Amino acid sequence: MKNLNHTNNYYKPKQLKLPLEIEKIIEISDPVYSFCEIVDCIDLNSYFAKKGCKTGRPRYNRTNLLKIILFSFMENGYLSLRGIEKSCKIDIRYMWILDDMKAPTFATIGNFIRDDLTDSIENIFIAINKVIFEKDNVDLNHTYIDGTKIEANANNIHGYGKNLV
């Protein structure tokens, strides 16, 4: 009798299955959507250093590189260049920001920060804040101070240490 087993010998039951659209994986309430919405309102090309055309590989999209750097600082605070590189390889949100670009190396990210952002990063933050303030109708003429006072319980001998003396 003939063997009618038509299974693929290279099939593994734990093969990775991802949908074709990454947006189906990322939750709608994820901050990456609002972050990209704010950054997309700004013309960032005017902030980058002007460079002539060089031979070699095509450059990474500078807007996407800036987005992954700013998103990394927004999510993690200070993160090393190697940490940003790792996030681009394993975090689906960074892959979505990169928009089908290959994950940049830490050297590429460092060169981009040094060459393109050194002079203009403060102006970029000012532009981002301006967009946020206009979008949320923030009034900068009024400042409010929270006067909440909370009593600390650090040296209270009426608690646990009461019977020790």
Side-chain angles (χ1 to χ4, degrees), residues 44-62:
L44 296 171
N45 290 324
S46 61
Y47 296 107
F48 297 133
K50 306 291 185 224
K51 290 195 172 189
C53 212
K54 293 182 178 180
T55 58
R57 291 183 4 190
R59 294 178 59 103
Y60 279 94
N61 184 344
R62 296 188 289 183

Side-chain angles (χ1 to χ4, degrees), residues 3 43 50 66 83 85 99 108 110 115-116 125-126 129 135:
N3 185 3
D43 179 27
K50 306 291 185 224
L66 178 65
E85 176 187 12
D99 195 28
T108 303
D115 297 339
D116 289 340
F125 279 123
I126 291 170
N129 285 332
K135 192 172 198 88

Side-chain angles (χ1 to χ4, degrees), residues 49-102:
K50 306 291 185 224
K51 290 195 172 189
C53 212
K54 293 182 178 180
T55 58
R57 291 183 4 190
R59 294 178 59 103
Y60 279 94
N61 184 344
R62 296 188 289 183
T63 304
N64 290 350
L65 282 175
L66 178 65
K67 283 182 182 180
I68 63 166
I69 292 167
L70 293 178
F71 185 70
S72 173
F73 281 106
M74 183 184 92
E75 283 287 305
N76 306 310
Y78 177 75
L79 189 63
S80 69
L81 297 177
R82 292 181 193 266
I84 297 173
E85 176 187 12
K86 183 177 180 183
S87 295
C88 290
K89 290 180 179 177
I90 63 172
D91 193 341
I92 199 82
R93 299 173 305 167
Y94 287 85
M95 293 177 196
W96 181 76
I97 291 172
L98 286 171
D99 195 28
D100 293 332
M101 284 184 358
K102 183 181 174 187

